[in-house]
Amino acid sequence: MSRTSPCRETRWRALWSRIVPIVACLTLVAPTAFAHPPLATVATLRIDTDGHVDLTVHYDALAFALNDVSANIPDEPMFELLHAGDDAIAQSLAACGPRFEQLCILEADSNRIPLSVATLPTVADVRAEEARRPTYPLPIKSTLESHAQLTASTSSITIRFPEILGIVVVTIDRPGFEPVAIPLGVNERSPAFKIIPIYESGSTTQPEPPAAGDSNSSRWQAFLRFVSLGFRHIVPEGQDHMLFVLGLFLLTPKARPVLLQISAFTLAHTVTLALTSLRIIGLPASIVEPAIAASIAFAGIENLVITRVTPWRTLAAFIFGLVHGMGVATSFNEAGFPEGTLVSSLVAFTLGVEGGHLAVLLAAFVLLGWTRNRAWYRPRIAIPLSLVISAIAIVWFVQRLR
């Protein structure tokens, strides 16, 4: 009967003495990685033929009331505000109007146009959202409406949203042009959108129609921005997606097996991203988010017990791709794109997402690929990293069950 040699036993003890603290530390840090499902801010800016501007913003009301970004703020201060009573909530919400008017910059031909907030979320709105999802109400989604008036000579506008609103997907709807939806980065000023000159009633002069190139340019800019948004959704913002792709890589870090798994994952991911975004299918986030975490944990744990890519592993990658696609589609379900822009925006976003997946794989090959043929790859690289991935994912799973 064979026995483990003292030398080998010493090496294993040394290895596990390094692994356990890493897993423990990352497990403790993991709960801060996703405090609550981040909400993409969605806005619509409409201009009528008289130059009247209506700006509607769908956003995380509590995060804005606490002067923080939805994707970054921890749960604790938001729950403290919810439990502080209606008077405290009302006071915090009332402060949002002046803050929005000060920080949201609408410019016409480089001159700032004052915005006037007309409607803010109320305590009743907050309590209604809380009652709708009593188990885990965050984020509290609500709507702010504001107005402005352009001058008769306005030829173009730009807008920059408050930094604390994070990434904003804004739809610009103006006379003479097709509506266009465009994502803006944090504190980013939009491109200039041309405006047909406003003419007073009774004028015999007719406005010139927009040049075809103007609309085409706007659509192309929007397409590229959605590609960038999709990429950022994975790198650096999609920690769960990055960990899952890394888990697929670690089992057998060779091009063909990895590409087989990623191809199955990507195909399924694209299918459900499209079907969910088009509202053909859908599951609530309370199911999808824990399922995503469970898929990551499964990939990491399976790496500990199998050593090669099997047909089951490829099928599992496909199944989990279906789940991940539903998770990515959440922002599209909330955005409310104008007719004719959803498909092009979805295609661009999907290209960016898959580009992010490939970027994660490329980084993994660059950093770890050279170790794949070493005898110590599995005990020193694959197993420790798979344990770390599984530990973090299990924490996320428990957290997302709330």
Side-chain angles (χ1 to χ4, degrees):
M1 183 174 180
S2 61
R3 299 179 60 186
T4 305
S5 68
C7 183
R8 178 174 294 182
E9 185 175 348
T10 301
R11 287 200 300 269
W12 273 104
R13 286 179 178 176
L15 175 61
W16 284 99
S17 68
R18 292 193 295 268
I19 293 173
V20 171
I22 293 174
V23 172
C25 290
L26 288 176
T27 303
L28 291 174
V29 172
T32 65
F34 286 97
H36 59 277
L39 171 71
T41 300
V42 178
T44 302
L45 191 153
R46 290 189 174 89
I47 305 172
D48 64 20
T49 54
D50 296 324
H52 182 73
V53 177
D54 290 317
L55 178 61
T56 303
V57 182
H58 187 62
Y59 68 118
D60 187 334
L62 293 188
F64 193 85
L66 293 168
N67 201 27
D68 207 340
V69 181
S70 176
N72 297 339
I73 187 171
D75 285 2
E76 287 73 17
M78 304 177 82
F79 278 117
E80 287 177 5
L81 180 57
L82 282 176
H83 298 154
D86 290 355
D87 290 342
I89 295 175
Q91 184 177 358
S92 298
L93 293 176
C96 295
R99 184 185 304 138
F100 184 84
E101 292 173 348
Q102 177 187 1
L103 299 178
C104 189
I105 310 298
L106 175 67
E107 291 186 338
D109 302 325
S110 301
N111 297 313
R112 184 168 182 176
I113 303 296
L115 281 163
S116 176
V117 172
T119 304
L120 283 169
T122 65
V123 174
D125 295 330
V126 171
R127 294 305 187 195
E129 275 291 298
E130 185 180 15
R132 190 171 66 87
R133 293 174 292 147
T135 304
Y136 188 70
L138 300 180
I140 298 291
K141 308 171 187 179
S142 196
T143 301
L144 176 153
E145 296 179 357
S146 61
H147 306 296
Q149 180 65 47
L150 303 179
T151 62
S153 60
T154 300
S155 61
S156 67
I157 62 163
T158 62
I159 188 167
R160 183 175 67 196
F161 290 91
E163 182 177 353
I164 54 176
L165 288 180
I167 295 174
V168 179
V169 178
V170 57
T171 298
I172 308 294
D173 188 358
R174 44 203 168 131
F177 294 85
E178 293 182 3
V180 59
I182 186 169
L184 299 176
V186 177
N187 205 31
E188 179 184 7
R189 186 188 304 274
S190 74
F193 292 95
K194 292 187 177 181
I195 302 296
I196 294 178
I198 303 162
Y199 289 83
E200 298 179 359
S201 59
S203 173
T204 57
T205 308
Q206 296 296 320
E208 296 181 3
D214 295 336
S215 296
N216 292 337
S217 176
S218 296
R219 286 196 294 267
W220 180 242
Q221 284 186 348
F223 186 89
L224 293 179
R225 284 173 175 270
F226 274 107
V227 172
S228 175
L229 181 65
F231 187 90
R232 289 202 309 270
H233 185 81
I234 304 300
V235 182
E237 297 169 1
Q239 294 99 323
D240 48 0
H241 288 270
M242 288 192 286
L243 284 186
F244 184 76
V245 171
L246 182 59
L248 296 182
F249 167 87
L250 287 172
L251 177 59
T252 308
K254 297 179 181 179
R256 184 169 180 175
V258 169
L259 290 177
L260 183 64
Q261 296 174 85
I262 291 297
S263 296
F265 177 78
T266 298
L267 175 61
H269 182 279
T270 302
V271 168
T272 50
L273 175 57
L275 294 178
T276 306
S277 299
L278 295 171
R279 301 182 184 275
I280 297 173
I281 62 173
L283 289 173
S286 59
I287 296 177
V288 173
E289 293 299 325
I292 289 175
S295 72
I296 301 167
F298 178 89
I301 293 171
E302 192 177 39
N303 288 348
L304 307 179
V305 296
I306 65 174
T307 58
R308 64 184 181 86
V309 176
T310 63
W312 156 247
R313 174 74 169 206
T314 305
L315 177 60
F318 181 85
I319 294 171
F320 294 144
L322 296 175
V323 177
H324 282 244
M326 289 186 185
V328 175
T330 300
S331 60
F332 276 87
N333 285 341
E334 294 175 347
F337 295 106
E339 185 177 353
T341 66
L342 175 59
V343 173
S344 61
S345 301
L346 177 59
V347 169
F349 187 81
T350 302
L351 288 175
V353 166
E354 305 315 339
H357 290 158
L358 293 177
V360 173
L361 277 182
L362 179 61
F365 271 110
V366 170
L367 294 175
L368 301 174
W370 64 275
T371 68
R372 61 188 179 184
N373 293 321
R374 302 296 194 275
W376 44 263
Y377 167 76
R378 182 169 173 79
R380 296 187 183 181
I381 303 295
I383 290 179
L385 289 181
S386 294
L387 282 169
V388 169
I389 290 171
S390 301
I392 294 175
I394 290 171
V395 171
W396 285 343
F397 176 77
V398 174
Q399 181 182 356
R400 295 176 185 187
L401 286 176
R402 293 181 298 179

